[in-house]
Short mmCIF file of all heavy atoms in Angstrom, two decimals:
data_model
loop_
_atom_site.label_atom_id
_atom_site.label_comp_id
_atom_site.label_asym_id
_atom_site.label_seq_id
_atom_site.Cartn_x
_atom_site.Cartn_y
_atom_site.Cartn_z
N ARG A 13 0.97 20.54 20.57
CA ARG A 13 0.01 21.53 20.11
C ARG A 13 -1.44 21.13 20.42
O ARG A 13 -2.26 21.95 20.83
CB ARG A 13 0.18 21.67 18.60
CG ARG A 13 -0.72 22.65 17.92
CD ARG A 13 -0.58 22.53 16.41
NE ARG A 13 0.75 22.82 15.95
CZ ARG A 13 1.05 23.82 15.11
NH1 ARG A 13 0.10 24.60 14.66
NH2 ARG A 13 2.28 24.02 14.73
N ILE A 14 -1.75 19.85 20.21
CA ILE A 14 -3.13 19.38 20.45
C ILE A 14 -3.47 19.46 21.94
O ILE A 14 -4.58 19.85 22.31
CB ILE A 14 -3.32 17.96 19.88
CG1 ILE A 14 -3.25 18.00 18.34
CG2 ILE A 14 -4.65 17.35 20.33
CD1 ILE A 14 -3.36 16.65 17.65
N ASP A 75 -5.52 13.03 11.17
CA ASP A 75 -4.41 12.66 10.28
C ASP A 75 -3.82 11.32 10.69
O ASP A 75 -3.55 10.45 9.86
CB ASP A 75 -3.33 13.75 10.24
CG ASP A 75 -2.88 14.19 11.63
OD1 ASP A 75 -3.67 14.10 12.58
OD2 ASP A 75 -1.72 14.64 11.76
N ALA A 94 -7.58 21.99 16.96
CA ALA A 94 -6.35 21.72 16.19
C ALA A 94 -6.70 21.46 14.73
O ALA A 94 -6.22 20.51 14.10
CB ALA A 94 -5.58 20.54 16.80
N ARG A 95 -7.54 22.34 14.19
CA ARG A 95 -7.96 22.18 12.79
C ARG A 95 -6.79 22.52 11.86
O ARG A 95 -6.05 23.48 12.08
CB ARG A 95 -9.14 23.10 12.47
CG ARG A 95 -10.39 22.80 13.28
CD ARG A 95 -11.62 23.34 12.57
NE ARG A 95 -11.85 22.55 11.37
CZ ARG A 95 -12.66 21.49 11.35
NH1 ARG A 95 -13.32 21.11 12.41
NH2 ARG A 95 -12.80 20.81 10.23
N CYS A 96 -6.65 21.74 10.81
CA CYS A 96 -5.62 21.99 9.81
C CYS A 96 -5.97 21.13 8.59
O CYS A 96 -7.05 20.52 8.57
CB CYS A 96 -4.23 21.62 10.35
SG CYS A 96 -4.13 19.93 10.93
N LYS A 118 5.49 11.69 6.33
CA LYS A 118 5.34 10.69 7.39
C LYS A 118 4.02 9.95 7.23
O LYS A 118 3.78 8.96 7.89
CB LYS A 118 5.50 11.26 8.79
CG LYS A 118 4.83 12.50 9.14
CD LYS A 118 5.14 12.88 10.59
CE LYS A 118 4.44 14.17 10.92
NZ LYS A 118 4.89 14.84 12.11
N GLU A 144 9.73 19.59 4.44
CA GLU A 144 9.99 20.66 3.46
C GLU A 144 11.41 20.59 2.90
O GLU A 144 11.69 21.14 1.84
CB GLU A 144 9.80 22.05 4.10
CG GLU A 144 8.47 22.26 4.78
CD GLU A 144 8.40 21.61 6.15
OE1 GLU A 144 9.46 21.32 6.74
OE2 GLU A 144 7.27 21.35 6.61
N ASP A 157 1.92 16.70 3.79
CA ASP A 157 2.14 17.17 5.16
C ASP A 157 0.92 17.93 5.67
O ASP A 157 0.02 18.26 4.90
CB ASP A 157 3.38 18.08 5.21
CG ASP A 157 3.95 18.23 6.62
OD1 ASP A 157 3.48 17.54 7.55
OD2 ASP A 157 4.89 19.04 6.78
N ILE A 158 0.96 18.22 6.95
CA ILE A 158 -0.07 19.03 7.58
C ILE A 158 0.21 20.49 7.31
O ILE A 158 1.35 20.95 7.46
CB ILE A 158 -0.07 18.75 9.09
CG1 ILE A 158 -0.75 17.40 9.34
CG2 ILE A 158 -0.76 19.85 9.86
CD1 ILE A 158 -0.63 16.95 10.75
N VAL A 159 -0.82 21.21 6.89
CA VAL A 159 -0.69 22.64 6.63
C VAL A 159 -1.72 23.38 7.49
O VAL A 159 -2.89 23.02 7.50
CB VAL A 159 -0.94 22.97 5.14
CG1 VAL A 159 -0.80 24.46 4.89
CG2 VAL A 159 0.02 22.18 4.25
N ASP A 160 -1.23 24.37 8.22
CA ASP A 160 -2.16 25.21 8.98
C ASP A 160 -2.19 26.57 8.30
O ASP A 160 -3.04 26.84 7.44
CB ASP A 160 -1.71 25.27 10.44
CG ASP A 160 -2.62 26.13 11.30
OD1 ASP A 160 -3.73 26.48 10.82
OD2 ASP A 160 -2.25 26.48 12.43
N THR A 161 -1.25 27.46 8.61
CA THR A 161 -1.23 28.77 7.95
C THR A 161 -0.53 28.72 6.59
O THR A 161 -0.70 29.63 5.78
CB THR A 161 -0.46 29.78 8.83
OG1 THR A 161 0.88 29.29 8.99
CG2 THR A 161 -1.10 29.94 10.19
N GLY A 162 0.30 27.70 6.35
CA GLY A 162 1.09 27.64 5.13
C GLY A 162 2.43 28.36 5.27
O GLY A 162 3.24 28.38 4.33
N ASN A 163 2.68 28.95 6.44
CA ASN A 163 3.93 29.71 6.64
C ASN A 163 5.17 28.84 6.52
O ASN A 163 6.17 29.26 5.96
CB ASN A 163 3.93 30.40 8.01
CG ASN A 163 2.94 31.55 8.07
OD1 ASN A 163 2.53 32.07 7.02
ND2 ASN A 163 2.53 31.93 9.26
N THR A 164 5.10 27.63 7.04
CA THR A 164 6.26 26.72 6.97
C THR A 164 6.60 26.42 5.52
O THR A 164 7.77 26.42 5.12
CB THR A 164 5.96 25.42 7.75
OG1 THR A 164 5.55 25.74 9.07
CG2 THR A 164 7.20 24.53 7.81
N LEU A 165 5.57 26.17 4.70
CA LEU A 165 5.79 25.89 3.28
C LEU A 165 6.43 27.10 2.61
O LEU A 165 7.47 26.99 1.94
CB LEU A 165 4.47 25.55 2.57
CG LEU A 165 3.83 24.21 2.93
CD1 LEU A 165 2.49 24.08 2.22
CD2 LEU A 165 4.76 23.06 2.56
P1 LIG B 301 1.90 26.14 9.25
O1 LIG B 301 3.26 26.72 9.05
O2 LIG B 301 0.99 27.02 10.07
O3 LIG B 301 1.25 25.72 7.94
O4 LIG B 301 2.08 24.83 10.14
C1 LIG B 301 2.63 23.71 9.57
C2 LIG B 301 3.30 22.79 10.57
O5 LIG B 301 2.73 22.87 11.86
C3 LIG B 301 3.11 21.38 10.07
O6 LIG B 301 4.29 20.95 9.46
C4 LIG B 301 2.76 20.58 11.28
O7 LIG B 301 3.90 19.89 11.74
C5 LIG B 301 2.35 21.57 12.33
N1 LIG B 301 0.90 21.59 12.58
C6 LIG B 301 0.04 22.58 12.24
N2 LIG B 301 -1.20 22.32 12.65
C7 LIG B 301 -1.16 21.13 13.28
C8 LIG B 301 -2.12 20.31 13.91
N3 LIG B 301 -3.41 20.67 14.01
N4 LIG B 301 -1.72 19.13 14.41
C9 LIG B 301 -0.44 18.75 14.33
N5 LIG B 301 0.53 19.48 13.73
C10 LIG B 301 0.19 20.65 13.22
#
Side-chain angles (χ1 to χ4, degrees):
R13 180 188 298 241
I14 292 177
D75 50 332
R95 298 202 69 93
C96 56
K118 46 180 180 196
E144 307 78 21
D157 199 6
I158 283 172
V159 180
D160 180 14
T161 61
N163 289 340
T164 306
L165 290 176

